[in-house]
Amino acid sequence: MAENMRYLRNFFIYNCLFAFTFWNNIGLAMKNELFTSVPNNFLQDGLDKKNLSLPHSYTNNQQSKADFGWVVIENTTESLSLSEIKKDNVRKLITLLSNFRKGSRLQNLTLTNMSVDWKDFIKALQTVWHSSIEYFSINNLIQEGNVRSSRFDYSDTSMKALALNNVRITDLYFSQDDIYNIFANMNIEALTIADSELIHMVCPSSDSPFRYVNFSKNDLTDLLFQNCDKLIQLETFILNRNKFKSLSKVSFMTSRMKSLRYLDMSSNLLRNSGAEKRCQWTDSLSELDLSSNQLTESVFECLPVNINKLDLQNNQIASVPTGIAELQSLKELNLASNRLADLPGCRAFAGLEILNIERNLILTPSADFFESCPSVKELQAGQNPFKCSCELQDFLRLERQSGGKLSGWPEAYVCKYPEDLSGTQLKDFHLTELACNTTLLLVTALLLTLVLVAVVAFLCIYLDVLWYVRMLWQWTQAKRRAWHDCPEGRETVLQFHAFISYSERDSLWVKNELIPNLEKGEGCIQLCQHERNFIPGKSIVENIINCIEKSYKSIFVLSPNFVQSEWCHYELYFAHHKLFSENSNSLVLILLEPIPPYVIPARYHKLKAHMAKRTYLEWPRERSKRALFWANLRAAISINRSVPVEQNRTEL
């Protein structure tokens, strides 16, 4: 309740002040008329800067729409924004605007959703032209009725900028110049006609004061401002989202704009081919936006030489060709969303400081980029399909050495290939130096191979592997010949109690002691001796194998002479083979003389194993012990044989 009383009191005071001021200036009758058609704060502003203006709460949207048919969106001392301007209330609007002569504090006017005749539109525009308003904007304008040629008075204006957005003309038959001439010859600094299906604009009839022109989202073509030399003060020209096709014609359009610094040609249909005329850009152009067109690498043959900032993102550029004209002034280059497969060099861009090459087709960026581009302070190379392989290691080292020049690191740098590493950030991808350095890998492999060969060779020599291989080959060949000579199914028949293996240097003991004591007397033992039982014509190896296989036991007379004999080693090898192949206990060892361990060659490791694990008979030097020796030996080789000795000899 207290707030309502305070509001009514203020309202009454302001009305009294308003009535007093208005009566003193234009009379009571005029005061009553304007009071019913114009908001009080605008009346105050239009009459005298010193007079008080009413607060915003006094004129609300509902009251304004009820009184005038429009909606007040914003109402301040310096700005006014109205909506829903129609045929039936546009004259009231013109009456209202006629009160804001020069000296008024109102500077910004915005009209939204305006639907009027061409004649009323021109009259409203002319009224604003001669008012205190400096910035005039119309959004969503529908011109109804016929368009007629109109004279426009450009003199005595405070206007600096006019913006028309989303203009639709319903008249299908009218002279285009009736519209274009009015706007082209305006003596203001900034003109915007956007999203209005504008298909052309004439060149001003005299030197234009335009410094800013925005014709975005229209249907303009390459015919715009060709041979126009009146836009000598134009600095910013925005033509994005139109229908320009020829880059050379665009360059020719700018050739006479001596002050042009910024040109936006993004989102057009621009192409450039070698067949087109040579490009003629104005020397003043320093910033050019050619993004979202259909340009290829040939665009680098048609660029302003003094360009400072160049935007070529979202085109069809696959490479930056060498041999192009040098752009010494270029500081910032945007090549994002193209088809580049590697980082471009800076031979033609010696002063380049910022390069954006995101969203291209770069798998493994070259590592010498910063060496060829020493002036670059920021490189944006993220969101590329990086292939995490050895080739990428140099680029990763480049990042560590760049000192933070790689923008977006590490979030924007992610592996795409191979699939098992997809999604891995490059900072988490690591390979060893050995895996990526081919020379080092080859040297390492060679060294390892040499070491392996040396180790194998040493083992072969130490373990006498070649000898065992040769013996295995001999045994295999002997077996093959035996199988070939013998009928199938015939089994080997034991013909001897034992085969004797000894060194030729120990033959006297064998002939004088061993053979007589075993073959004579009770239970004589049939022995196989190489001198009398080897078959002439067969190889020594075949005879050894044949005797060992046809003997129940194999007696080895061990001595230092034995371990020095090659043939004794063969016989021991084949006997050992029989021991494991037939799973029989067929070896009988006689130690004729003690053998020092250092005398036994390395290849006799089987002999060492047998002497360590098996019981052997040692020839006693005392004669009293020899009877026991022969008894033990007979027991070791004893077997019941049913085949007569004579038959055995016959079979041999």
Side-chain angles (χ1 to χ4, degrees):
M1 187 67 181
E3 288 184 3
N4 291 336
M5 291 299 295
R6 185 163 51 254
Y7 174 83
L8 291 175
R9 183 174 65 253
N10 291 338
F11 175 76
F12 178 77
I13 293 172
Y14 285 138
N15 273 279
C16 290
L17 289 172
F18 169 79
F20 177 76
T21 303
F22 211 88
W23 180 265
N24 289 335
N25 283 276
I26 62 173
L28 182 59
M30 182 61 69
K31 179 202 71 171
N32 291 334
E33 179 181 354
L34 291 177
F35 187 82
T36 60
S37 60
V38 183
N40 287 349
N41 58 333
F42 290 138
L43 289 174
Q44 296 292 93
D45 223 342
L47 292 175
D48 191 352
K49 287 185 179 179
K50 297 179 181 180
N51 293 334
L52 296 174
S53 60
L54 294 179
H56 292 267
S57 58
Y58 178 73
T59 306
N60 56 43
N61 292 351
Q62 293 181 353
Q63 179 186 3
S64 299
K65 189 170 184 179
D67 292 345
F68 310 110
W70 60 63
V71 176
V72 178
I73 299 176
E74 182 181 7
N75 180 3
T76 66
T77 302
E78 297 181 352
S79 300
L80 174 63
S81 179
L82 304 177
S83 180
E84 310 301 330
I85 311 300
K86 309 296 182 182
K87 289 182 180 180
D88 55 355
N89 59 19
V90 66
R91 294 187 181 277
K92 294 181 181 180
L93 175 65
I94 295 172
T95 302
L96 169 65
L97 297 177
S98 64
N99 291 282
F100 298 103
R101 299 296 180 182
K102 285 190 175 181
S104 172
R105 285 181 289 179
L106 183 65
Q107 297 179 354
N108 306 300
L109 175 61
T110 301
L111 303 180
T112 305
N113 297 333
M114 188 175 184
S115 180
V116 297
D117 291 335
W118 174 255
K119 182 179 179 180
D120 290 334
F121 169 72
I122 293 297
K123 190 172 182 180
L125 182 59
Q126 188 73 79
T127 302
V128 173
W129 198 264
H130 297 298
S131 69
S132 64
I133 296 172
E134 297 180 358
Y135 304 96
F136 184 24
S137 177
I138 301 178
N139 302 315
N140 304 328
L141 169 63
I142 298 178
Q143 184 277 318
E144 298 180 350
N146 298 326
V147 176
R148 295 289 183 265
S149 178
S150 305
R151 293 179 60 84
F152 197 87
D153 181 9
Y154 297 103
S155 63
D156 192 28
T157 183
S158 300
M159 185 81 70
K160 294 181 179 179
L162 172 63
L164 303 177
N165 296 286
N166 193 18
V167 178
R168 298 293 179 265
I169 298 177
T170 59
D171 188 2
L172 300 179
Y173 305 99
F174 64 94
S175 174
Q176 298 287 334
D177 291 348
D178 291 342
I179 296 179
Y180 299 149
N181 283 322
I182 290 178
F183 297 106
N185 293 301
M186 287 183 169
N187 54 338
I188 56 178
E189 294 183 0
L191 174 64
T192 297
I193 303 178
D195 195 15
S196 300
E197 300 180 352
L198 186 67
I199 61 175
H200 189 58
M201 178 57 68
V202 297
C203 182
S205 57
S206 61
D207 290 346
S208 174
F210 288 148
R211 298 178 61 187
Y212 173 94
V213 173
N214 184 350
F215 290 159
S216 62
K217 301 181 183 179
N218 285 295
D219 298 324
L220 296 169
T221 65
D222 298 328
L223 300 177
L224 180 69
F225 293 153
Q226 295 294 314
N227 299 313
C228 179
D229 59 356
K230 304 301 181 181
L231 298 170
I232 57 176
Q233 297 186 45
L234 185 61
E235 298 178 359
T236 301
F237 199 7
I238 300 176
L239 293 171
N240 66 303
R241 299 183 66 177
N242 277 277
K243 296 183 178 179
F244 292 89
K245 294 183 179 180
S246 173
L247 186 60
S248 62
K249 290 183 179 180
V250 171
S251 70
F252 185 73
M253 174 189 70
T254 69
S255 61
R256 301 185 182 184
M257 300 176 181
K258 305 302 181 183
S259 301
L260 186 63
R261 297 182 58 82
Y262 174 80
L263 176 62
D264 184 355
M265 297 299 302
S266 62
S267 301
N268 276 278
L269 306 172
L270 289 175
R271 294 174 179 268
N272 183 63
S273 63
E276 294 187 357
K277 295 180 181 179
R278 185 177 179 182
C279 297
Q280 303 177 41
W281 297 95
T282 178
D283 292 338
S284 62
L285 188 59
S286 61
E287 188 171 347
L288 178 60
D289 189 347
L290 295 175
S291 61
S292 301
N293 281 283
Q294 301 174 17
L295 298 168
T296 61
E297 46 270 23
S298 62
V299 68
F300 290 97
E301 301 173 0
C302 181
L303 292 175
V305 293
N306 297 322
I307 194 69
N308 182 268
K309 183 177 180 180
L310 179 61
D311 192 342
L312 289 171
Q313 70 171 318
N314 194 25
N315 277 281
Q316 301 173 14
I317 301 172
S319 65
V320 178
T322 58
I324 60 176
E326 293 187 4
L327 303 177
Q328 299 290 346
S329 301
L330 186 61
K331 301 295 183 183
E332 184 173 346
L333 177 60
N334 189 344
L335 289 170
S337 301
N338 276 280
R339 302 176 181 178
L340 294 168
D342 199 359
L343 297 175
C346 295
R347 180 176 301 177
F349 320 125
L352 189 64
E353 296 181 355
I354 299 176
L355 175 62
N356 186 342
I357 198 169
E358 295 177 331
R359 298 182 298 279
N360 274 271
L361 303 177
I362 300 176
L363 299 178
T364 53
S366 57
D368 59 349
F369 173 76
F370 285 115
E371 294 180 4
S372 63
C373 303
S375 300
V376 171
K377 299 178 181 178
E378 179 180 339
L379 173 62
Q380 303 172 25
Q383 302 180 51
N384 275 286
F386 294 109
K387 180 182 179 181
C388 288
S389 61
C390 290
E391 290 78 7
L392 200 63
Q393 292 293 93
D394 292 337
F395 180 74
L396 296 179
R397 281 193 291 270
L398 175 68
E399 186 281 326
R400 291 190 289 268
Q401 299 169 3
S402 65
K405 293 182 179 180
L406 213 56
S407 177
W409 181 271
E411 293 80 9
Y413 297 80
V414 178
C415 298
K416 178 69 174 179
Y417 305 105
E419 292 185 1
D420 58 331
L421 293 175
S422 180
T424 303
Q425 291 186 356
L426 264 59
K427 71 177 182 66
D428 298 326
F429 170 68
H430 303 286
L431 284 176
T432 63
E433 184 69 21
L434 180 62
C436 294
N437 191 324
T438 304
T439 303
L440 182 60
L441 181 62
L442 291 175
V443 171
T444 304
L446 180 60
L447 290 176
L448 289 176
T449 302
L450 292 176
V451 171
L452 180 62
V453 170
V455 170
V456 171
F458 173 77
L459 292 176
C460 289
I461 295 173
Y462 181 77
L463 300 176
D464 208 5
V465 174
L466 294 179
W467 184 89
Y468 284 107
V469 172
R470 188 167 63 251
M471 286 301 98
L472 182 61
W473 172 255
Q474 294 281 359
W475 180 84
T476 304
Q477 293 299 313
K479 282 291 186 181
R480 185 183 64 81
R481 286 192 292 269
W483 291 334
H484 179 73
D485 295 339
C486 296
E488 292 185 6
R490 181 175 177 180
E491 297 181 358
T492 302
V493 178
L494 295 175
Q495 298 178 0
F496 304 99
H497 285 88
F499 166 72
I500 307 173
S501 176
Y502 57 92
S503 171
E504 192 63 31
R505 295 179 181 179
D506 299 326
S507 59
L508 292 177
W509 182 84
V510 172
K511 295 175 182 179
N512 296 331
E513 297 288 345
L514 181 63
I515 294 177
N517 282 284
L518 293 180
E519 289 188 339
K520 295 178 181 179
E522 246 181 75
C524 64
I525 296 174
Q526 183 67 45
L527 299 176
C528 180
Q529 184 191 15
H530 66 275
E531 291 182 355
R532 66 185 184 187
N533 297 113
F534 277 14
I535 300 175
K538 288 188 176 183
S539 66
I540 298 177
V541 173
E542 286 185 87
N543 277 307
I544 293 174
I545 295 174
N546 188 42
C547 285
I548 290 175
E549 290 185 346
K550 291 184 178 182
S551 300
Y552 176 64
K553 298 283 186 177
S554 293
I555 301 174
F556 291 90
V557 181
L558 305 179
S559 68
N561 298 322
F562 181 91
V563 297
Q564 300 299 324
S565 172
E566 188 75 14
W567 290 112
C568 291
H569 193 194
Y570 292 163
E571 293 166 351
L572 178 64
Y573 174 82
F574 293 129
H576 184 269
H577 185 271
K578 179 182 179 182
L579 175 67
F580 283 95
S581 62
E582 298 181 4
N583 196 22
S584 61
N585 188 15
S586 60
L587 296 184
V588 177
L589 303 180
I590 298 175
L591 184 60
L592 183 61
E593 296 179 12
I595 306 175
Y598 61 85
V599 176
I600 303 176
R603 63 173 179 265
Y604 277 85
H605 61 89
K606 291 182 180 179
L607 177 61
K608 294 180 180 180
H610 284 306
M611 293 183 69
K613 296 179 180 179
R614 303 175 69 88
T615 302
Y616 56 87
L617 298 173
E618 186 174 0
W619 173 248
R621 297 300 177 185
E622 301 85 356
R623 289 185 175 274
S624 59
K625 297 181 180 179
R626 292 179 181 177
L628 179 61
F629 170 82
W630 296 118
N632 290 334
L633 180 58
R634 284 177 176 274
I637 61 177
S638 63
I639 184 173
N640 294 325
R641 291 174 50 85
S642 59
V643 182
V645 173
E646 291 79 9
Q647 184 177 349
N648 294 345
R649 290 179 179 176
T650 303
E651 290 179 2
L652 279 173

